Structures are given as C-alpha cells and as structure tokens.
Amino acid sequence: MAIDIITYVFIAGGCFFNLMAVIGLHRFPDFYTRLHAGTKCTTFGSILLIIAVLIQSISIWVVEGGSSPQSILSLHAFIALIAILVTNPTGAHAIARAGHRSGVKPVKAIVDDLEKEDNA
Amino acid sequence: MRFIVTSFIAFLAYLLLTTASGKVALWSSTEIIIGIVFALITGALFRNRFIGKNFRMLNPKRWFLLIVYLCGPFLWALAKANIEVVCLVITGKINPGILKISTGLENDLSITMLANSITLTPGTLSVEVSEENGDLYVHWINIKEEFLEKMPRDCKSVCGNFPDWIRRIAG
C-alpha cells in the first residue's frame, strides 16, 4: 500500500517534468534553449518514471522470489536508465553542434564565443 | 589482453540482459553458449575502439568513485537543473549565450564525461569541443552579468567541482 503511494508520487513527478519539457519546447524562442528543455527535463522525468518501475518490480520481486518475470523487469529498467543517462546528453550535443555548424544562431544571445572563433 | 577484457565485459552485459532465463545458476545453457559466441565476436571487432591507450579504467576504485559521483553531486545538480529549467519555462526570463571555457582535462574520456555532465546540469549545454586543447563551447541559458567581464572564462561557475571529480575518475 505504502509502496503504491510512493510509486504514484514518482510517476506524478516524472509526468510533471516531461510535461514541462513539452511546454518549454513551445515557449522558448530558439533552437538551443529548446534543446535545454528537451534534454534536461525529459532525462529527469524518465529517471523518475524508471524509479517508479524499479520500486514496483522490486517489491514484487521480494514477495514472489527471484524467478518471477518482474525480477528481470527491474534489471531491464535499470539498464534503460543507464542508456538514457548516456545517450540523451550525447544526442543533444550532436544536435547542437550540427545546428551551429549549419549556421543556426542563438536568438537574443548576449555573447557568442564560438562565433568569434569561426570568424577569426 | 584487450580482446579478453572487451569480450568479458560484453559477456557480462549479455548475462545481465538474459538473467533468469533458465536453470544453470540463473541462465539457460543455450543463452550462455550464445553469449560466449557473441562476446568473442564483439571482442574481436571492437577491442581497439573500446579500450584506449591503457587499462586504467579497469581499476575498481575508479568505478566506485564513478558510482559515488553519479549518486551524489551529479544527481543533486541534475535535480537543481530541472527545477531551474522549470522555473525558466514558467517565467520565460532567459539570457542566453555561448561561452568558451577551458577545462584543463586532457584525455578524451574525461572530456566526454564532463561534456555530458554539464549538459545535464544547471543551465548549460555543450555545443562544440575544440580538438586541440579540449576547450568546451557551452550554451548557457541564463548568463550572470558579472561572469562576462573576465575574459579567460572562469570554469568554476559553469561546472562547479565536476572537473575535480572527473580527474579522479578518469584522469
């Protein structure tokens, strides 16, 4: 029972951060600031959702023993967590670099060191 | 040596993915045989890519530090970053720009780790890395005014104490 409530809290938190990422994608003015919303909030939201899965599956694992399918589920969820943690920032970095190379300029930027470097 | 290490890590990853498939310990014998075959193929193909110039990442102390780093300062910074971005989403006050910071880190692995770390932490997103000296170009969503005056940019206020941690893990 208590485990269910904790799981709901984590799911609600995860959904909240993913929702904020979506709103951020719409509200921010340019490419780079949108990437901020698209990487940080989705990563954290996904981490919270995976923690909810982990809590549920580990509680079932403890009750039903190691041979239940849920024990594999918790391991797979953990592997998914590591994969998201590594690939999400790497992908964002690749997109940002590609964007800057193809000439997308940050809107309202007060300083751009990379721009100066390219012109020099 | 490279071949053995790479194959062994690939085999461990395969075992992790197929846990609880049968009766030999936790795995079925078919899975173990297929796992060994694929681990050997992976080791033969990727031994020079997976392991760089030396074997320093095999030291268990570095792995322990990596786990401490991920669960401690990194997770805390990640949570702070998200609350900050949520505030920015709601208020819409931004002050963006691209900054060059010198990290002082040398090898590829530590620069990769730092770039990934600062992408997930408060207000920053790595855009480009300079190949010669490992300088990072960082897009910062909310630049503080006093930060702009110093020309060799202060690395401390962007990445906090991450470089020290990463130097201990992968340096």
Side-chain angles (χ1 to χ4, degrees):
Chain A
M1 193 57 215
I3 286 170
D4 281 348
I5 293 170
I6 297 168
T7 313
Y8 289 141
V9 169
F10 274 107
I11 291 176
C15 289
F16 171 75
F17 279 108
N18 278 340
L19 180 72
M20 279 302 154
V22 174
I23 297 173
L25 280 179
H26 281 276
R27 272 183 66 100
F28 282 146
D30 76 319
F31 177 72
Y32 298 99
T33 43
R34 280 181 189 148
L35 266 183
H36 275 279
T39 52
K40 290 196 217 353
C41 288
T42 52
T43 312
F44 199 57
S46 309
I47 287 174
L48 290 179
L49 289 175
I50 287 172
I51 289 173
V53 173
L54 277 175
I55 291 171
Q56 274 297 324
S57 57
I58 287 173
S59 77
I60 297 169
W61 191 5
V62 169
V63 173
E64 290 185 7
S67 60
S68 68
Q70 278 79 12
S71 62
I72 317 166
L73 182 65
S74 57
L75 263 176
H76 287 190
F78 189 69
I79 295 168
L81 175 72
I82 295 170
I84 288 173
L85 215 56
V86 175
T87 52
N88 203 334
T90 314
H93 173 69
I95 296 170
R97 180 184 152 110
H100 204 280
R101 290 225 165 160
S102 47
V104 181
K105 296 283 169 284
V107 175
K108 287 197 286 188
I110 49 176
V111 60
D112 193 343
D113 286 348
L114 183 53
E115 172 85 294
K116 275 182 235 157
E117 202 86 354
D118 288 345
N119 292 342
Chain B
M1 184 65 193
R2 280 163 193 272
F3 176 67
I4 295 168
V5 170
T6 316
S7 301
F8 185 68
I9 291 171
F11 186 55
L12 279 187
Y14 192 86
L15 287 186
L16 206 61
L17 278 166
T18 55
T19 316
S21 58
K23 296 282 180 288
V24 190
L26 279 171
W27 299 273
S28 66
S29 44
T30 351
E31 291 285 12
I32 291 176
I33 292 163
I34 294 173
I36 290 171
V37 171
F38 278 115
L40 291 178
I41 295 171
T42 317
L45 286 177
F46 293 107
R47 61 179 185 276
N48 291 329
R49 280 188 168 269
F50 188 68
I51 293 167
K53 292 187 186 68
N54 53 48
F55 293 99
R56 64 180 190 287
M57 282 311 288
L58 288 183
N59 188 345
K61 196 178 133 229
R62 292 180 191 272
W63 284 92
F64 175 72
L65 275 173
L66 176 66
I67 292 165
V68 171
Y69 166 72
L70 285 180
C71 298
F74 180 73
L75 197 64
W76 173 240
L78 184 60
K80 257 197 326 197
N82 278 279
I83 290 158
E84 198 184 312
V85 171
V86 166
C87 288
L88 290 173
V89 167
I90 292 167
T91 59
K93 269 187 218 142
I94 52 167
N95 200 12
I98 294 177
L99 301 165
K100 177 186 181 178
I101 54 167
S102 6
T103 53
L105 296 173
E106 269 132 35
N107 59 59
D108 289 351
L109 181 64
S110 36
I111 293 169
T112 312
M113 275 177 73
L114 184 71
N116 277 2
S117 296
I118 64 178
T119 297
L120 288 176
T121 52
T124 48
L125 177 82
S126 52
V127 175
E128 174 81 281
V129 58
S130 125
E131 303 272 335
E132 298 99 52
N133 45 13
D135 287 350
L136 280 173
Y137 294 92
V138 173
H139 182 268
W140 200 357
I141 197 166
N142 207 357
I143 297 174
K144 297 182 191 80
E145 288 296 332
E146 66 267 21
F147 186 77
L148 287 175
E149 283 147 23
K150 279 175 279 175
M151 196 39 217
R153 310 284 190 202
D154 182 18
C155 170
K156 203 83 190 160
S157 53
V158 178
C159 22
N161 54 3
F162 286 169
D164 302 334
W165 273 98
I166 286 166
R167 205 167 285 129
R168 258 178 281 165
I169 295 165

